[in-house]
Amino acid sequence: MQSKFGLETSTRVCGVCRESQPVYRQVYSGVSFCASCFKKSVEKRVRKTISRYSLLREDDRILVAVSGGKDSLSLLKILAKIEREYPRASLVAVSIDEGIPGYRDEALRLAADMCRRLGVEHRVYAFEDLFGISLSEAMSRGVLGRLGLGACSLCGVWRRKAISLAARELKATVVATAHTLDDIVQTYLMDILRGEFPKAPIGLRREGNGIIPRIAPLRLIPEEEVVLYAYLSRIPFQEIPCPNAQNSQRDLVRTFLAQFESRYPGSLFAALKTIESGIMPREGGLTPCQVCGEPASKAICRACELESQVSSLLAEKGRLLGANIGVDDVQSID
Ligand SMILES: [Zn+2]
Ligand SMILES: [Zn+2]
C-alpha cells in the first residue's frame, strides 16, 4: 500500500541495505529505500549532479537562496555537508523578504533557525529596501493591476534581481537555487507554451558576461523526493504555499505534469533530457543594464524597467488621485 509519497507499509526489505524496512518505492527505478538509505541516495545524487555538470569549484563562495520552503532548506542542509569537505569554499544563505505579511515572516524564521543550527551566515534582503516598495504594497496600491502584471511576475523578476544584488554585495562566486526536476521541466514547458524554445539550460554553471553563475544542484531530484528528504531529515519547513501563487500559469503546468508523471513514471526525466538536448544556448547579446549594470538582453533590464514603471505610477497616482487610468494608458506604459 502506498501513501501520496509512495511511503510503503509492506514488510519487504530496503533494496539497498537489505536490512531495514522500506519507506519509499522509487517508481521510476523500481528500487525501495529505507529512510536512511533514501536520505543517503538523495545526497549522493546531488554530489553526482555537482560533479557531472561541474557545478562547484573548490574555492567557491556559494550563495544559497533560501526561501524557508522544503526545497531550499533541504538544499542548504546538503550543501552545508558538502562544503565542510572543502576548506577553501564558503557558504552564505540569503533570504528575500518580498513583504507578504503572515507568509514570509514564518519562512524567514525557519530559514534563520536552520542557518543557526548549521552554522551558516544568513542575510535577509527586503524588496522595500531594494526597490522602495513591498510586494503587498504594490498589490494594495493597485500598481500590479495597472501594469497588467500578476503578483508572481513582479515578484519573480525582483527576487532574481535581489539575489544578484546580494551576490555582488557578498562577493559570491556562484548562486545555488533549489530548483528541482519538476521546477525546471515546468519552466521549459511554460516557455514552449508561450511559443519560445528555452534559451539556455537552467541551473548549469555558465560563466561570462559579468554574470555570477547560477546552479541548481537539485535539478535531477524529483520534487516529491525533496519533500520526503525534508520530512525524513526532520527539517521544519513552511508547508503553506504562497498565497499569491494560486491560479498562476505555473500552477496549471505543475498540476498537469504531476498527474502525467504519476501515470507515466519517468516522464519528467525524459522531458528534461529531450528538451536540453535541443537547447542551443544563446549566450551572446547580453550587455550591462544602463541602470544597474547587471547583464541584460535590452539596454535596461526587466527589473529596472519594472522599478521605474512602478515608481512613476506611484508618482502619477499621487498627482491624479481618483482619476481613472484606462487600459490603453496602462499598455502605453510598457
Ligand atoms: Zn536501507
Ligand atoms: Zn538593471
Side-chain angles (χ1 to χ4, degrees):
M1 227 179 83
Q2 290 192 355
S3 74
K4 84 176 167 157
F5 290 141
L7 293 176
E8 289 208 347
T9 53
S10 78
T11 52
R12 290 178 299 116
V13 292
C14 167
V16 182
C17 64
R18 307 262 169 214
E19 279 174 13
S20 308
Q21 192 179 343
V23 296
Y24 174 73
R25 194 172 111 80
Q26 200 172 51
V27 185
Y28 58 85
S29 69
V31 179
S32 294
F33 293 88
C34 70
S36 159
C37 292
F38 175 78
K39 284 190 285 178
K40 279 186 208 147
S41 147
V42 171
E43 290 166 6
K44 196 172 152 190
R45 278 180 283 151
V46 172
R47 284 171 195 273
K48 256 190 171 161
T49 306
I50 290 171
S51 73
R52 173 174 164 187
Y53 298 107
S54 306
L55 297 185
L56 288 177
R57 305 214 171 112
E58 286 190 5
D59 58 351
D60 265 327
R61 175 149 171 84
I62 311 160
L63 183 158
V64 191
V66 175
S67 68
K70 61 204 177 318
D71 302 349
S72 62
L73 291 177
S74 297
L75 175 67
L76 180 65
K77 190 180 161 89
I78 297 170
L79 284 183
K81 257 189 185 178
I82 294 173
E83 184 261 338
R84 270 180 230 130
E85 297 156 23
Y86 295 91
R88 288 164 63 212
S90 62
L91 206 58
V92 56
V94 168
S95 301
I96 305 303
D97 182 2
E98 317 88 337
I100 307 174
Y103 168 72
R104 185 53 67 197
D105 326 343
E106 190 205 356
L108 289 175
R109 187 180 51 75
L110 291 166
D113 287 351
M114 181 72 158
C115 289
R116 213 172 301 123
R117 248 179 302 155
L118 294 170
V120 174
E121 179 189 356
H122 182 226
R123 304 285 289 261
V124 178
Y125 289 78
F127 273 12
E128 199 161 359
D129 300 332
L130 297 173
F131 307 114
I133 190 170
S134 70
L135 187 66
S136 58
E137 206 189 337
M139 290 168 80
S140 66
R141 294 181 69 178
V143 171
L144 289 178
R146 290 183 180 196
L147 290 174
L149 280 179
C152 295
S153 307
L154 181 69
C155 192
V157 173
W158 275 1
R159 288 177 72 82
R160 197 180 162 84
K161 170 77 177 287
I163 293 285
S164 297
L165 293 173
R168 286 197 196 284
E169 189 176 290
L170 299 169
K171 301 199 168 18
T173 54
V174 68
V175 169
T177 62
H179 293 103
T180 62
L181 173 66
D182 299 53
D183 295 324
I184 293 177
V185 176
Q186 284 161 21
T187 304
Y188 289 157
L189 193 55
M190 284 165 68
D191 282 347
I192 292 170
L193 292 172
R194 275 195 292 256
E196 273 179 29
F197 200 74
K199 286 184 203 71
I202 296 169
L204 296 186
R205 188 166 187 143
R206 289 196 307 142
E207 313 270 353
N209 292 321
I211 294 170
I212 298 175
R214 293 184 176 236
I215 59 168
L218 303 180
R219 69 194 320 278
L220 300 181
I221 314 285
E223 176 91 33
E224 72 161 16
E225 296 191 10
V226 179
V227 181
L228 183 58
Y229 178 88
Y231 172 76
L232 294 175
S233 306
R234 297 197 171 82
I235 296 174
F237 58 86
Q238 189 173 41
E239 292 187 52
I240 50 162
C242 175
N244 300 327
Q246 278 133 33
N247 298 321
S248 63
Q249 261 186 34
R250 182 173 293 274
D251 230 32
L252 286 175
V253 172
R254 175 187 294 123
T255 307
F256 160 72
L257 283 175
Q259 285 173 354
F260 201 87
E261 173 69 24
S262 94
R263 196 172 307 176
Y264 305 103
S267 300
L268 291 178
F269 283 114
L272 184 91
K273 197 173 162 209
T274 306
I275 294 170
E276 290 191 343
S277 70
I279 297 178
M280 304 295 173
R282 296 193 285 278
E283 298 215 31
L286 287 178
T287 48
C289 163
Q290 286 173 7
V291 180
C292 69
E294 288 292 320
S297 54
K298 291 185 289 183
I300 294 174
C301 78
R302 182 75 176 133
C304 286
E305 192 180 63
L306 287 174
E307 203 177 333
S308 101
Q309 287 171 2
V310 168
S311 60
S312 62
L313 263 182
L314 288 174
E316 193 177 339
K317 204 173 171 190
R319 281 200 311 275
L320 305 171
L321 200 62
N324 183 19
I325 298 180
V327 169
D328 288 344
D329 300 301
V330 172
Q331 281 170 344
S332 69
I333 293 167
D334 243 344

